[in-house]
Amino acid sequence: MSSVPEREEIDADDRWDLTSIYEDDDAWQAAYEAVDERIDDLREYEGRVTESAETLLELLELREDILREVSKVASYANLRSAEDTRNQEYQALKAKAESLSSAAQSATSFLEPELQELEKTDVEVFIDAEPALAEYGHYFDDVLRMKPHTRSAEVEEVLADLGEVAGGASDIYGMLSNADMTFPTVERPDGEDVEITQGNFTKLQKHPDRAFRREVYEEFYDEWADVRNAVGTSLKTSVKKDVKYARARNYETARAAALDGPNVPVEVYDTLVDAVRDNLGSLHRHAELKREALDVDDLRMWDLYMSLTGDEGPDIPYEQATEFIVDALEPLGEDYQNRVEAGLDSRWVDVYENRGKRSGAFSAGTYDTQPFILLNYQDDIASMFTLAHELGHSLHSELAKEAQPWHYADYTIFVAEVASTVNETLLTHHLLDTVEDDELRMHVLDEYLERFRSTLYRQTMFADFELRIHEIAEADGALTPDRFDEAYRDLKAEFYEPAELDDQIAREWMRIPHFYYNYYVYQYATGISAAVAIVERILEEGEDAAAAYREALSLGGSAYPIEVLGTAGVDMASPEPIESALSVYDEYLDRMAALLAAQ
């Protein structure tokens, strides 16, 4: 039987090394207690933020010192928790870290309201008096920009205190989907039993045996049906939280609040949705190519992940994937390549799925730690692309940390999803240009088309769904599982018009954790659009364009995201990058159609 191993069964070299943060749990506890005792020191500055330039600098430096340690404490706890969501000891550590983070935010909640008592000219006077404040120039600009949406110090403290419980719906959903839910075991066509998991569901949906795919699909979504009310309630609560927080900060909508944080115009969101909707014909063409390649009368939901080649594709062992990725990143420069290779050799990556491990993938870490990448590697092309994606995030963090002070090292998701997708796009070009194995090349082309489908189209569909359910809440409508089903099914029918829908696909919203992230998903679609434009520029212009891209990554959060991407030569305030990416999708569909016709 093919079963998911326990964590201790996985080789240590294939697990990340968290001792680089704290030697052990005792060291974590000591760090937790030490920084916990210091948090109240921040409150001593309440009411004094603007008394002098010297006082302001003291507070900003103390805040950095404390929050850097808090972030390390939280990172260790979160990573331990992700290793095995069933481990109650580490869930307790995570809960303690969340409380600590909330306390730290609460202790500095007075800072920005007091700063907003200043005018721009007052800030300039402070900088003249204390030149070290000059490096906070963008931070001050951002704080003053948010003045209409910042409440009194008392209200801000309450909102900060609520941070710990505000994420409760997401936490409950995560525990339910990762720790408590178990999926059936099914028999493969070769007679081997395999347990369905969140991590392997998509891969099983690529199995060439259609009856097996259908069985996996139905068993998987039947399991979700059993927790329908719990998941519906958690998503409803999360949406209502977004709406109430937006209203508390004087925004008309939750979307306006979410996009104003990174200073992304709402028009960028609308431009994306409109451009993708205007080009649904390309997605329908992709679906029709699948139907023809599979030689079926009707394309069903359990066919959507199937390769246009008609089979699962070649195995890509982890070691081979890392070699391909490092080679593919050559256009970004030798230093970038070397950093990636060193990270792979330094146990940045937690490679394989284990029982209880958080599903999906992510890159995490802090200003004072190395990056940490969670994977659930499945020895396939999709997993290789996921690794390339997460390494993009990790290198982005490394370059930003190296170039920026702590308060500018972090960056918005709007920019982050560009760095990850640039790596995916370079990997595609490299494999199509250098690999002689025709089968692998065809699967790579198919995988990239799937990345376009799932990133540009599917994430835009998700963004549209997210907007719709928030609008229902903002109109004081009822958010029920039936209402979620209805909204999701309507969108699925529109986006996948050539395919035949069934009742189970209306539940797909239940398995998408990103709906708890408050207008997050659209940035995947804008990210791939910007990434395609950046890679085309790098491949055409060479090192000058690569240097401009690296400079954009190194800016971190020292400028607004539209400005950061402008440094790399991309204007995301216009529809041009999205339209360009859609054209590339069409071009790759042409290439795949020609290959299929030649078979």
Side-chain angles (χ1 to χ4, degrees):
M1 174 179 172
S2 175
S3 61
V4 180
E6 295 292 341
R7 185 163 184 82
E8 57 269 18
E9 297 177 68
I10 295 175
D11 193 289
D13 288 340
D14 293 322
R15 291 180 276 162
W16 53 31
D17 179 15
L18 301 187
T19 62
S20 62
I21 308 178
Y22 297 112
E23 184 176 353
D24 53 31
D25 295 349
D26 290 339
W28 178 89
Q29 182 64 33
Y32 170 89
E33 292 172 358
V35 73
D36 187 34
E37 291 177 357
R38 299 182 63 201
I39 286 176
D40 281 343
D41 293 347
L42 294 165
R43 299 184 188 278
E44 295 178 7
Y45 288 84
E46 187 168 2
R48 301 174 51 214
V49 173
T50 62
E51 74 176 15
S52 70
E54 181 181 14
T55 300
L56 176 57
L57 181 62
E58 284 178 5
L59 171 57
L60 292 173
E61 291 178 342
L62 177 64
R63 182 186 68 145
E64 173 179 340
D65 189 35
I66 290 175
L67 291 187
R68 282 172 70 166
E69 192 60 38
V70 167
S71 66
K72 282 180 63 180
V73 166
S75 180
Y76 181 90
N78 288 333
L79 295 172
R80 285 295 188 205
S81 169
E83 292 175 349
D84 186 350
T85 57
R86 304 167 304 166
N87 186 314
Q88 294 305 301
E89 178 183 348
Y90 286 134
Q91 299 314 312
L93 256 63
K94 180 182 177 184
K96 288 179 65 175
E98 287 173 348
S99 295
L100 183 73
S101 297
S102 181
Q105 293 301 321
S106 176
T108 56
S109 59
F110 60 86
L111 171 59
E112 294 183 1
E114 291 189 35
L115 275 175
Q116 287 166 349
E117 295 173 4
L118 301 174
E119 300 296 332
K120 187 174 181 180
T121 52
D122 298 323
V123 172
E124 292 170 352
V125 169
F126 271 42
I127 292 174
D128 286 342
E130 180 53 81
L133 288 172
E135 76 168 23
Y136 293 91
H138 176 68
Y139 168 72
F140 293 143
D141 179 72
D142 202 29
V143 170
L144 294 180
R145 179 181 69 84
M146 300 298 288
K147 191 171 185 175
H149 303 289
T150 304
R151 304 293 299 274
S152 67
E154 292 80 7
V155 173
E156 287 295 328
E157 183 172 7
V158 170
L159 292 174
D161 280 340
L162 288 174
E164 184 180 355
V165 295
S170 177
D171 289 342
I172 291 168
Y173 173 80
M175 292 302 295
L176 177 68
S177 60
N178 291 310
D180 292 343
M181 289 184 70
T182 57
F183 297 92
T185 295
V186 292
E187 184 179 328
R188 290 181 186 269
D190 62 7
E192 183 181 14
D193 287 341
V194 59
E195 178 185 358
I196 304 171
T197 69
Q198 292 264 51
N200 70 12
F201 171 71
T202 299
K203 182 175 183 179
L204 295 177
Q205 288 290 276
K206 298 177 182 179
H207 194 283
D209 189 288
R210 197 180 192 209
F212 175 71
R213 293 200 304 274
R214 177 174 182 172
E215 181 184 11
V216 169
Y217 173 89
E218 291 178 344
E219 293 280 3
F220 182 75
Y221 281 110
D222 281 348
E223 199 67 33
W224 282 105
D226 290 341
V227 293
R228 170 182 175 79
N229 291 319
V231 176
T233 301
S234 66
L235 183 56
K236 174 190 72 175
T237 304
S238 182
V239 170
K240 284 183 173 291
K241 176 263 297 180
D242 296 340
V243 172
K244 289 184 182 297
Y245 266 73
R247 288 174 177 171
R249 295 194 179 281
N250 302 316
Y251 286 100
E252 291 187 6
T253 66
R255 182 176 67 156
L259 271 65
D260 195 35
N263 200 18
V264 174
V266 170
E267 291 74 23
V268 170
Y269 199 102
D270 292 331
T271 297
L272 168 69
V273 174
D274 291 344
V276 169
R277 281 185 170 281
D278 289 343
N279 287 273
L280 286 179
S282 297
L283 180 62
H284 297 164
R285 179 187 173 202
H286 192 176
E288 183 60 24
L289 277 176
K290 287 200 175 195
R291 188 195 65 75
E292 294 174 0
L294 295 173
D295 193 23
V296 295
D297 292 333
D298 297 306
L299 191 72
R300 303 300 297 266
M301 292 297 102
W302 48 84
D303 298 323
L304 289 183
Y305 288 100
M306 268 302 292
S307 167
L308 284 166
T309 65
D311 56 46
E312 292 181 279
D315 285 346
I316 306 290
Y318 178 72
E319 292 75 16
Q320 178 66 76
T322 60
E323 182 179 334
F324 279 144
I325 291 168
V326 171
D327 289 345
L329 299 177
E330 182 179 3
L332 298 184
E334 185 178 357
D335 180 65
Y336 191 102
Q337 269 188 306
N338 290 341
R339 287 171 180 261
V340 170
E341 195 165 21
L344 291 168
D345 291 339
S346 302
R347 293 178 63 186
W348 283 8
V349 186
D350 203 81
V351 182
Y352 298 109
E353 183 178 15
N354 60 253
R355 193 170 294 277
K357 186 177 180 180
R358 176 179 154 167
S359 62
F362 63 71
S363 172
T366 76
Y367 193 74
D368 298 301
T369 73
Q370 67 177 50
F372 295 94
I373 296 174
L374 179 139
L375 293 182
N376 285 277
Y377 197 83
Q378 299 287 324
D379 284 340
D380 57 12
I381 290 175
S383 294
M384 173 174 63
F385 272 82
T386 298
L387 175 58
H389 180 106
E390 301 304 337
L391 283 166
H393 290 314
S394 296
L395 265 291
H396 189 178
S397 295
E398 290 293 278
L399 291 173
K401 287 191 299 184
E402 183 176 282
Q404 300 296 334
W406 169 80
H407 52 276
Y408 291 148
D410 202 6
Y411 44 82
T412 67
I413 300 300
F414 193 88
V415 176
E417 293 307 331
V418 176
S420 55
T421 315
V422 161
N423 279 15
E424 292 183 22
T425 306
L426 285 171
L427 178 60
T428 302
H429 279 280
H430 171 72
L431 293 173
L432 291 179
D433 292 344
T434 63
V435 171
E436 296 181 0
D437 183 336
D438 288 341
E439 180 190 10
L440 177 56
R441 293 178 72 254
M442 194 166 185
H443 277 282
V444 167
L445 181 55
D446 180 75
E447 176 65 26
Y448 196 54
L449 284 171
E450 281 297 292
R451 293 268 158 175
F452 260 104
R453 179 187 72 80
S454 63
T455 305
L456 189 50
Y457 282 95
R458 191 167 188 252
Q459 300 296 334
T460 300
M461 182 185 75
F462 286 170
D464 206 341
F465 174 75
E466 191 171 12
L467 178 59
R468 291 186 185 198
I469 62 178
H470 278 81
E471 287 178 339
I472 291 171
E474 286 159 351
D476 296 323
L479 286 175
T480 64
D482 285 347
R483 197 71 179 270
F484 289 135
D485 283 355
E486 179 185 358
Y488 195 86
R489 184 187 175 92
D490 287 349
L491 284 167
K492 198 78 175 183
E494 181 181 0
F495 274 68
Y496 291 91
E497 184 180 287
E500 184 174 334
L501 271 65
D502 54 70
D503 290 339
Q504 288 177 305
I505 198 59
R507 302 175 199 149
E508 188 176 34
W509 59 270
M510 297 174 65
R511 76 177 188 93
I512 311 300
H514 294 81
F515 291 148
Y516 295 83
Y517 296 176
N518 192 16
Y519 287 100
Y520 181 103
V521 292
Y522 84 97
Q523 295 163 115
Y524 286 115
T526 55
I528 193 173
S529 302
V532 168
I534 288 169
V535 169
E536 292 299 312
R537 187 165 179 250
I538 289 172
L539 295 180
E540 288 175 7
E541 301 176 21
E543 173 55 24
D544 287 347
Y549 170 64
R550 294 193 303 269
E551 172 65 19
L553 297 185
S554 71
L555 288 174
S558 64
Y560 295 117
I562 298 295
E563 298 169 5
V564 169
L565 294 180
T567 302
V570 178
D571 179 11
M572 289 308 297
S574 78
E576 183 179 347
I578 299 165
E579 292 169 352
S580 177
L582 290 165
S583 296
V584 170
Y585 180 61
D586 265 338
E587 177 189 332
Y588 276 68
L589 283 172
D590 289 340
R591 292 177 66 174
M592 179 58 86
L595 288 171
L596 291 171
Q599 284 187 325

